[in-house]
């Protein structure tokens, strides 16, 4: 088990390094970087920190979580409020699952709302993933949904009607997990997601839903995928590479 985890961490490190090199090569000086959240992104930030002279060329970065903000600031990268950004050339983030169309499940780290906002603003969205995250059909990973607490029961019932098995996320200490927006997250197991865009649209229309962790309407443009053959590009039909 430990050896499998070590192998996966090595893949994450490789794809994080590849992502940093691409970002520093393609994003012009004076621009703002878009940085996501999660274990793979941590390796991206670690790799960026190896090039202090390069990262000083940028105005700063948009961050999707407090954890990412702390890591970026430790590397000397200023944090820019998304409301102050007129142009975001490139956003890099991980995924809990990604399919052949670049559609993803995200939000395992709890930052799905911030991630979806940054993805919407970015010109190009590149997913960083190891081969274990690539699936034919989304739904094996429980789908996170951020909800206003008062709507939790009603939304839970609607999710059960779809065939899902919803549970409210808790912290390791047993308390209800609260997002930075003071909302709750419902994780939904057992969904067969045949039409990700339709399901994302339906759930988004329910009163009380803040964000659903389906990134189908705004899928990734491309993916840097780490596997046994090294890090490879996967380009999707509607790619918008820089």
């Amino acid at each position: 088990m430990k050896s499998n985890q070590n192998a996966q961490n090595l893949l994450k490190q490789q794809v994080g390094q590849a992502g940093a090199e691409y970002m520093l090569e393609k994003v012009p000086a004076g621009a703002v970087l878009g940085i996501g959240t999660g274990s793979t992104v941590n390796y991206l930030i670690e790799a960026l920190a190896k090039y202090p002279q390069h990262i000083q060329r940028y105005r700063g970065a948009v961050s999707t979580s407090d954890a990412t903000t702390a890591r970026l600031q430790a590397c000397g990268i200023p944090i820019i409020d998304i409301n102050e950004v007129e142009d975001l050339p490139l956003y890099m983030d991980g995924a809990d699952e990604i399919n052949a169309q670049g559609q993803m499940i995200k939000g395992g780290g709890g930052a799905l709302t911030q991630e979806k906002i940054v993805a919407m603003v970015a010109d190009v969205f590149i997913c960083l993933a190891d081969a274990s995250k690539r699936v034919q059909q989304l739904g094996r990973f429980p789908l996170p949904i951020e909800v206003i607490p008062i709507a939790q029961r009603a939304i839970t019932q609607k999710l059960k009607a779809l065939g899902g098995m919803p549970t409210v996320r808790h912290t390791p200490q047993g308390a209800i997990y609260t997002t930075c927006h003071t909302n709750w997250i419902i994780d939904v197991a057992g969904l067969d997601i045949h039409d990700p865009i339709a399901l994302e649209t339906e759930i988004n229309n329910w009163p009380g839903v803040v964000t659903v962790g389906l990134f189908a309407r705004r899928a990734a443009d491309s993916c840097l995928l780490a596997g046994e053959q090294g890090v490879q590009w996967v380009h999707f039909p509607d790619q918008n590479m820089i």
Side-chain angles (χ1 to χ4, degrees):
M1 184 68 142
K2 189 174 181 180
S3 61
N4 289 340
Q5 185 64 53
N6 289 338
Q8 187 176 31
N9 287 339
L10 179 59
L11 293 177
K12 291 180 180 182
Q13 185 177 28
Q14 291 171 352
V15 79
Q17 179 67 38
E21 292 174 0
Y22 182 84
M23 178 172 275
L24 294 174
E25 177 187 355
K26 296 295 184 179
V27 179
V32 177
L33 307 175
I35 309 291
T37 295
S39 56
T40 303
V41 170
N42 290 343
Y43 285 111
L44 168 68
I45 298 171
E46 182 181 288
L48 288 172
K50 298 176 184 177
Y51 308 98
Q53 292 182 332
H54 289 77
I55 60 179
Q56 288 174 7
R57 301 180 305 169
Y58 299 110
R59 180 182 163 198
V62 168
S63 167
T64 59
S65 69
D66 291 342
T68 292
T69 292
R71 288 178 179 271
L72 290 169
Q73 290 177 328
C75 297
I77 302 176
I79 302 303
I80 309 296
D81 189 305
I82 187 67
N83 289 312
E84 299 176 3
V85 175
E86 294 182 2
D87 181 45
L88 189 66
L90 177 62
Y91 170 47
M92 284 192 171
D93 202 356
D96 298 307
E97 288 185 343
I98 184 167
N99 66 15
Q101 289 73 48
Q103 299 166 331
M104 296 162 286
I105 286 181
K106 291 173 52 58
L112 58 160
T113 297
Q114 302 95 294
E115 290 171 348
K116 190 160 271 192
I117 292 168
V118 176
M120 174 182 66
V121 172
D123 297 333
V124 175
F125 180 7
I126 295 177
C127 176
L128 306 178
D130 63 86
S132 69
K133 304 298 177 64
R134 194 171 188 183
V135 298
Q136 290 188 345
Q137 180 177 306
L138 299 175
R140 181 179 61 189
F141 189 92
L143 176 65
I145 304 171
E146 182 169 346
V147 303
I148 296 171
I150 195 174
Q152 177 265 321
R153 181 178 178 84
I155 292 170
T156 293
Q157 294 303 114
K158 293 184 76 65
L159 291 166
K160 287 180 178 178
L162 291 179
M165 295 176 285
T167 57
V168 175
R169 186 179 298 185
H170 286 70
T171 68
Q173 294 74 33
I176 291 179
Y177 178 91
T178 303
T179 71
C180 65
H181 310 291
T182 69
N183 296 314
W184 294 356
I185 290 180
I186 299 174
D187 292 306
V188 193
L191 290 174
D192 291 324
I193 305 177
H194 298 286
D195 189 340
I197 292 177
L199 184 61
E200 180 181 2
T201 300
E202 178 179 357
I203 295 175
N204 274 337
N205 285 333
W206 294 346
V209 169
V210 178
T211 311
V212 56
L214 268 173
F215 285 61
R217 298 168 66 183
R218 182 27 170 142
D221 296 297
S222 299
C223 178
L224 273 169
L225 191 73
E228 293 181 357
Q229 305 303 317
V231 179
Q232 300 177 331
W233 278 106
V234 179
H235 300 308
F236 305 113
D238 296 327
Q239 61 178 300
N240 184 26
M241 293 287 289
I242 63 172

